[in-house]
Amino acid sequence: MNQVDYLRISLIDRCNFRCLYCMPEGAELNYILKQQLLTDQELLTLIQEVFIPVGFTRFRLTGGEPLLRPGVVELVKKIAHLPQTQDLAMTTNGFLLAPIAKNLYDAGLRRINISLDSLDSDTFEQIIGKNGRGRWQQVWEGIQAAYNVGFDPLKLNVVVIPGVNDHEVLDLAALTIDKNWHVRFIEFMPIGNGELFGDRGWISSADLRDRIRQRWGLTESQVRGNGPADVFQIPGAKGTLGFISQMSECFCDRCNRVRLSADGWLRPCLLNETGQIDLKSCLRAGVSTAQLQEQVKQLLAIKSEINFKQRDSGTVGSYTRTMSQIGG
């Protein structure tokens, strides 16, 4: 396996969207109470005194929707200015981004991923669920603001859903031609809502690449990211196309990350609940950060077994948390 040096940090489990693939429609989600969330100081303590000493240097802030976290700009600044931080990124739905894009950039955030599952406002509203009307334009303004501020790379995440937005693949891919934008097509993962799209809720990356190749041609890109995406480029395009193929093409052997939930659970694998550690409860119970380092080291030592592509999910029946609650 790759060295595990990348921590995805969920700042909050709440979101102002309710996307079909992230929050099961009709399900009542039990949101984490404020006092159960990691405080800013607890999070910084874990980063500085537990994760950095065992080799973590790359951090991504996720949610829910991370921009709903109070004081998020100041928290970004504190993490970005740690001397050991080599990379700090954020994944957001972009709805609240436009007014604070510059503040985030000035605080030290340099890379940002924005979810954009459709260029059609009606389809977009269908995907993001209730209360979605009129939100596409505000997300688009957030994307433009991030681009104008100077975020590079600016990545757009697209979860491709058959019969919903798969007819837009070429239009979304075309966004990379004239701008240095990086569009990433993601296969839907049945986390917490496996019945949502029946037997086949995803379209393979190979299929998407074939469609794009037939339209423009497609070459492997010289640009490589830190994550699991296979990166390609339309000939002559300024940006790139990434394909994250967790359903059709297992990439467990390339995994370099673990996930920290908003309430302090460290999860070694998105698709496996084995071996999770409740770091928040340990910290509040007075367990030393040196002891927590040892627990994290032990978890990293078994991560290659947990990540085996034929792995069990580590759960009985369905996953205990949805994608939004994990911080995927």
Side-chain angles (χ1 to χ4, degrees):
M1 278 187 58
N2 288 339
Q3 178 184 354
V4 181
D5 61 359
Y6 180 6
L7 180 66
R8 294 179 67 102
I9 302 166
S10 174
L11 298 183
I12 193 168
D13 64 333
R14 295 177 182 271
C15 188
N16 41 10
F17 288 2
R18 191 151 184 166
C19 297
L20 294 175
Y21 51 77
C22 192
M23 295 183 179
E25 190 171 11
E28 288 302 320
L29 299 179
N30 295 316
Y31 291 116
I32 299 168
L33 298 175
K34 184 177 180 181
Q35 63 267 30
Q36 294 174 328
L37 292 171
L38 284 169
T39 66
D40 287 1
Q41 188 52 57
E42 287 170 337
L43 177 55
L44 290 166
T45 297
L46 288 174
I47 291 173
Q48 289 179 273
E49 300 182 31
V50 178
F51 289 107
I52 286 175
V54 301
F56 286 84
T57 58
R58 305 173 188 275
F59 307 100
R60 175 175 292 277
L61 305 178
T62 70
E65 171 48 48
L67 298 184
L68 291 174
R69 171 90 176 206
V72 64
V73 172
E74 187 60 27
L75 186 57
V76 163
K77 184 176 182 180
K78 289 176 179 177
I79 298 172
H81 285 79
L82 295 174
Q84 300 91 345
T85 298
Q86 294 183 8
D87 183 58
L88 179 62
M90 177 181 285
T91 297
T92 172
N93 62 31
F95 184 68
L96 300 174
L97 182 58
I100 63 169
K102 187 176 188 306
N103 292 342
L104 289 167
Y105 190 86
D106 291 344
L109 190 70
R110 287 294 177 270
R111 300 198 304 115
I112 198 162
N113 291 41
I114 304 169
S115 298
L116 183 71
D117 294 318
S118 177
L119 295 172
D120 177 79
S121 60
D122 291 335
T123 303
F124 184 81
E125 289 166 13
Q126 178 187 350
I127 293 171
I128 70 170
K130 62 181 182 180
N131 303 321
R133 188 155 301 280
R135 294 196 168 195
W136 184 90
Q137 185 60 39
Q138 197 160 330
V139 170
W140 186 249
E141 289 170 4
I143 292 169
Q144 299 292 336
Y147 177 65
N148 292 333
V149 162
F151 281 101
D152 183 22
L154 178 79
K155 292 184 179 179
L156 303 178
N157 290 349
V158 182
V159 176
V160 181
I161 307 170
V164 178
N165 66 345
D166 59 312
H167 62 286
E168 294 188 66
V169 165
L170 294 181
D171 291 335
L172 288 158
L175 294 176
T176 67
I177 294 175
D178 296 324
K179 289 187 173 68
N180 188 27
W181 289 0
H182 304 266
V183 173
R184 294 148 48 97
F185 294 110
I186 303 170
E187 293 175 353
F188 165 72
M189 299 178 70
I191 300 287
N193 49 0
E195 305 303 315
L196 179 59
F197 300 122
D199 294 335
R200 178 67 180 260
W202 48 274
I203 298 174
S204 73
S205 294
D207 184 351
L208 302 183
R209 286 194 293 268
D210 283 344
R211 298 188 201 181
I212 296 166
R213 187 178 289 111
Q214 289 175 21
R215 173 65 178 84
W216 292 289
L218 196 63
T219 60
E220 287 197 35
S221 174
Q222 299 304 308
V223 177
R224 283 289 178 267
N226 297 320
D230 296 307
V231 186
F232 292 79
Q233 201 159 22
I234 294 171
K238 293 181 178 179
T240 64
L241 297 168
F243 298 87
I244 300 180
S245 317
Q246 62 275 18
M247 299 303 292
S248 65
E249 303 166 17
C250 177
F251 49 71
C252 291
D253 57 333
R254 287 186 278 157
C255 182
N256 65 343
R257 64 199 58 200
V258 293
R259 287 169 165 80
L260 183 66
S261 68
D263 57 348
W265 282 87
L266 184 65
R267 183 181 180 119
C269 172
L270 181 58
L271 288 175
N272 195 312
E273 297 188 340
T274 301
Q276 297 180 93
I277 305 172
D278 184 359
L279 293 176
K280 180 201 67 186
S281 293
C282 291
L283 201 61
R284 292 184 182 180
V287 177
S288 72
T289 53
Q291 289 174 286
L292 294 182
Q293 286 179 32
E294 290 307 311
Q295 290 187 41
V296 173
K297 287 179 183 177
Q298 291 172 18
L299 183 64
L300 297 181
I302 65 170
K303 182 169 166 59
S304 59
E305 300 172 24
I306 291 172
N307 272 50
F308 178 60
K309 62 184 178 181
Q310 299 298 332
R311 62 200 173 292
D312 184 7
S313 66
T315 126
V316 177
S318 62
Y319 292 95
T320 59
R321 295 189 175 205
T322 64
M323 186 74 84
S324 64
Q325 294 167 318
I326 296 167

